[in-house]
Amino acid sequence: MAIVKPFKAVRPTRDKVALVSSKSYDIYATEELESKLKFNPYSFLHIINPGYKYHKQEISDEQRFKLVHNRYLEFKEDAVFTQDNNPSFYIYQKITTISSFCGIIAATSVEDYYNNVIKKHEGTLHKRELLFENYLKNTGFNAEPVLLTYPDNDEIKTIIQEYKQKRAEYEFSTTDKDSHSLWIVNDIEDIEKIIAVFKKINTLYIADGHHRSTSSCLLAENIAKQNPEHTGKENYNFFMSYLLPESQLDIYEFNRFIKDLNGLSVDEFLIELDAFFKIENKGQGLYKPKEKHQFSMYLNGDFYALSLRKSAYQFTDALSELDSEILRQTVLKPILGIEDIRNDSKIVYSQNKSDGLELKTKVDSGAYKVSFGMLPTSINELKKIVDSGLLMPPKTTYIEPKLRSGLTIYEF
């Protein structure tokens, strides 16, 4: 039984929303970020990059968090942001040149996270958890929802379709040619319908935002300990999420780039691979795998097709069947000597939304010796692993939509 709750979002006014909302801070190149901060006084980037106001980019975390809070208050005082009077759900649609996403922004339960109603598929770094918890504690808000997914549901789909027939509160486009729309659900009957439908859903899966959700839970736990009147209904017991049906998720793979062959020559490396894979030289023409347990490899000017020899590899659980895990167990660890795939400097990852050409270009540049590509993980594979109580290796999935910051803000 999943608990969802309406909340009073702090939002940009309709006339400024296109100027306020931003992509995640770390997506911007340095020059683009500088331009946004210089020419757009309403950008949410001014809040999360507050040192710009003082021409000071290098500040401590504590200083930055306090300044973030101050800039946020300024946006509220200047009426760039206003808070809704009534608790609401928010239907948010994003349409790109290749995909369309439409789901519900809501407050989701910390209790559900601890009770495994909300399930994760990736591990988190405790250092990052503590950093973001400290950020939330000092700023008092979260402006970027966790992306959760659920099995497609006709009742929720009907409610969303009814609202999409009405005029949206927000309708705007961004320079990357994406269009954004948001509808406010504050009708009590519709709110109760949404709550009731989600109560019948047994599991929500975290698609993106593992550190945000874990940090929110740590914050709730610590605040509750300090609150003698804790009831479990306070805002800090929930975190903002974007709930999207699983059929609308776009899942891409990450390519792997390796800086050296662990002391092996090209021929020696191919011989080592032959123990696990049937190897076909595909020449210089771009090759992409066509089925699971196949990999593309670019090495020494040629593409190769690697097909797993199933007699040489044992499937023991859902994780062992995952292509990223197969590559780790057969190549990265035993042959290339990469023990820690999260932190080893010899391996670099890049999400693959294109035709895979970077597998060739980055190796040809001399920066890497070999690269590997694979098919994306399916939602069913993800769920099977999660439901088995297992976690995926780092950089297994790149999931969209990526959400803009500052459209709806959740205060603790």
Side-chain angles (χ1 to χ4, degrees), residues 347-399:
I347 185 169
V348 173
Y349 303 89
S350 177
Q351 55 84 8
N352 182 25
K353 290 176 60 180
S354 62
D355 57 8
L357 186 60
E358 70 169 5
L359 289 171
K360 171 181 167 63
T361 57
K362 287 187 175 182
V363 172
D364 285 348
S365 73
Y368 305 98
K369 285 291 186 180
V370 63
S371 60
F372 298 93
M374 65 195 81
L375 290 179
T377 302
S378 71
I379 184 63
N380 288 331
E381 286 180 293
L382 184 152
K383 291 168 63 176
K384 185 177 180 182
I385 288 171
V386 172
D387 291 341
S388 300
L390 302 170
L391 297 176
M392 290 184 175
K395 302 298 183 183
T396 295
T397 58
Y398 178 84
I399 297 179

Side-chain angles (χ1 to χ4, degrees), residues 277-291:
F277 300 95
K278 176 185 176 183
I279 304 172
E280 297 179 71
N281 189 318
K282 296 292 186 178
Q284 296 195 9
L286 178 65
Y287 170 76
K288 295 193 73 173
K290 296 177 176 60
E291 58 186 60

Side-chain angles (χ1 to χ4, degrees), residues 65 86 113 123 172 202 222 225 241 303 324 333 335 364 386:
F65 299 161
N86 301 309
Y113 182 90
F172 66 97
N202 294 324
N222 290 330
K225 290 177 182 177
S241 296
F303 276 98
S324 59
K333 183 178 178 180
I335 300 176
D364 285 348
V386 172

Side-chain angles (χ1 to χ4, degrees), residues 58-93:
E58 298 298 327
I59 56 179
S60 69
D61 289 336
E62 290 293 332
Q63 287 176 320
R64 186 168 72 86
F65 299 161
K66 290 176 182 177
L67 289 175
V68 167
H69 177 71
N70 294 341
R71 295 292 82 73
Y72 175 63
L73 291 181
E74 286 178 7
F75 270 52
K76 291 178 72 175
E77 291 163 359
D78 293 341
V80 177
F81 288 142
T82 59
Q83 186 166 28
D84 288 331
N85 294 322
N86 301 309
S88 305
F89 291 118
Y90 302 89
I91 294 172
Y92 169 59
Q93 176 178 268

